[in-house]
Amino acid sequence: MPGFLVKQSNGPSESPTTLRNEAAFYLFCHEHLTGASVLNILPRFVRFDEDRSVLVLELLSEAMPLWQHYLAQTDIPRRPTVDLGRALGSWHAAFRLRSPLSDNSLKWLPTHLPQILRIHRPSIDWLADISAGGYEILRILQSRRRLMRQLDKLSSAWTPNTIIHGDIRADNILVIPSQPESVQLRLVDWELVQYGDPAWDLAGAFQDLLLFWISTIPDLPETSNSDLELRTAQAHYPLAVIQAALRAVWHGYRETADLRSASMHFVLSRAIQFSSIRLIQAALEATQGGGPLPSKAVLLLQIASNILDDPATAQVRLFGIPQSVAA
């Protein structure tokens, strides 16, 4: 008997807006995309009780998050990384230029910049909830004028032209074993779905692989730019393994995104740069437990800063994607 996943907002302290957006998204797909191949990457919609703010989806009982699938293997398998790129490319192509401004059935869809893009110039509300480690990260960001200018430019680079997931990370990518050597992917938790820049989703996939790699580096009391290469060399996976996975995501995306070479180049360039913001976001999340700034958070900030200093070099030396295959 099939099971069901029930999602509900947790009382007045948690706004039900994102859950309603997710429900509106599933309902839109259910009503307007019947039979479309892109639906294969979603769990099946069952119903939404608006009065109670309860969303019911199919339960993917045999699925596991992508990061658990990685850990269950002796190496990072190519197939799910290629499939993730293909899934994102297919999704973005299917919804390109279908915006809330031109489609009344999408009027509910948010269009704003992700808040994290302005993390270096935070709102008062955000400051009220920040941890001591978060304040230290903010101090580091704001003490570097060049970095502040680079972060400002990222907001102006935002190019919305399709519906995006908004929170691509391994926890939201489920792997369902289908045959001994193959898997199926499902993208879940569409609470941050919006009309936005496809490079943001691609950046999420890139950042997640980098974060998985960094998570295997042993902790040290402190770090500095001088020992960055030494620290990363201690990771469980060699950088070459992560780079192969990053290339696989990009190759899969190129296969299905249906973009011209010039557009593909700019999507990749933005994704590389947006991944730096996602790494800063991961650094902030690492401080939520309180206490001093973790060494991993410092390492994430260093890598993010290096990416923004020279995105073209980072594309080749960190991401392992040659300029010749960028477009």
Side-chain angles (χ1 to χ4, degrees):
M1 175 179 293
F4 301 101
L5 173 67
V6 178
K7 300 187 68 173
Q8 186 173 20
S9 59
N10 297 323
S13 63
E14 179 179 323
S15 171
T17 302
T18 55
L19 182 62
R20 289 200 183 104
N21 286 344
E22 182 176 20
F25 162 76
Y26 278 112
L27 188 59
F28 169 83
C29 294
H30 179 72
E31 293 178 346
H32 298 274
L33 300 180
T34 302
S37 60
V38 290
L39 290 183
N40 293 334
I41 67 173
L42 302 178
R44 183 174 57 86
F45 171 78
V46 179
R47 66 166 297 183
F48 177 60
D49 186 325
E50 187 169 3
D51 293 335
R52 296 182 176 88
S53 291
V54 175
L55 173 64
V56 183
L57 305 169
E58 72 168 319
L59 178 66
L60 303 172
S61 58
E62 297 183 1
M64 69 175 69
L66 183 58
W67 64 269
Q68 285 188 2
H69 180 70
Y70 289 159
L71 290 175
Q73 314 296 314
T74 56
D75 212 335
I76 296 180
R78 175 179 168 82
R79 177 63 183 271
T81 51
V82 172
D83 285 351
L84 174 58
R86 288 171 178 159
L88 293 176
S90 297
W91 186 267
H92 294 159
F95 289 95
R96 190 168 297 126
L97 301 180
R98 192 167 186 172
S99 81
L101 298 177
S102 59
D103 190 333
N104 286 332
S105 62
L106 293 173
K107 290 292 186 183
W108 54 271
L109 196 63
T111 60
H112 54 73
L113 279 172
Q115 185 178 11
I116 192 66
L117 276 172
R118 302 294 298 170
I119 194 59
H120 58 302
R121 302 187 187 278
S123 66
I124 294 177
D125 290 341
W126 185 83
L127 288 173
D129 297 326
I130 193 173
S131 66
Y135 272 113
E136 179 62 15
I137 287 177
L138 183 58
R139 185 197 65 78
I140 292 171
L141 295 178
Q142 293 184 339
S143 67
R144 302 180 182 181
R145 293 184 179 181
R146 181 179 178 183
L147 180 57
M148 289 289 286
R149 290 194 298 269
Q150 292 165 334
L151 292 171
D152 284 336
K153 288 180 180 179
L154 285 186
S155 294
S156 61
W158 184 259
T159 308
N161 59 29
T162 190
I163 296 177
I164 65 172
H165 179 281
D167 192 24
I168 291 295
R169 61 177 72 203
D171 281 331
N172 294 337
I173 304 163
L174 299 186
V175 176
I176 306 173
S178 55
Q179 296 177 5
E181 296 185 0
S182 66
V183 297
Q184 297 178 12
L185 296 185
R186 296 290 187 275
L187 302 185
V188 299
D189 287 345
W190 289 78
E191 295 180 0
L192 299 184
V193 63
Q194 69 166 97
Y195 183 73
D197 191 330
W200 188 249
D201 280 349
L202 192 57
F206 286 165
Q207 173 265 350
D208 209 64
L209 281 164
L210 291 175
L211 188 59
F212 180 75
W213 172 59
I214 292 167
S215 71
T216 68
I217 297 174
D219 281 319
L220 290 177
E222 58 184 39
T223 187
S224 64
N225 282 317
S226 62
D227 65 1
L228 179 58
E229 291 189 9
L230 177 62
R231 287 288 309 279
T232 55
Q234 298 177 55
H236 176 73
Y237 296 95
L239 178 57
V241 171
I242 302 301
Q243 290 175 333
L246 290 163
R247 284 193 299 272
V249 171
W250 174 238
H251 289 163
Y253 190 85
R254 290 176 63 210
E255 287 179 19
T256 59
D258 192 25
L259 289 172
R260 294 180 179 179
S261 294
S263 297
M264 200 71 78
H265 168 77
F266 287 118
V267 168
L268 177 59
S269 177
R270 294 197 308 277
I272 296 288
Q273 295 176 73
F274 285 154
S275 68
S276 66
I277 283 284
R278 300 296 295 264
L279 289 172
I280 293 173
Q281 182 178 24
L284 284 166
E285 291 171 351
T287 69
Q288 290 177 352
L293 191 61
S295 63
K296 288 282 178 64
V298 176
L299 185 59
L300 290 168
L301 292 177
Q302 290 176 346
I303 294 173
S305 179
N306 289 349
I307 292 172
L308 287 174
D309 274 344
D310 192 345
T313 297
Q315 176 186 315
V316 177
R317 297 187 60 182
L318 178 61
F319 291 77
I321 302 175
Q323 294 291 342
S324 60
V325 300

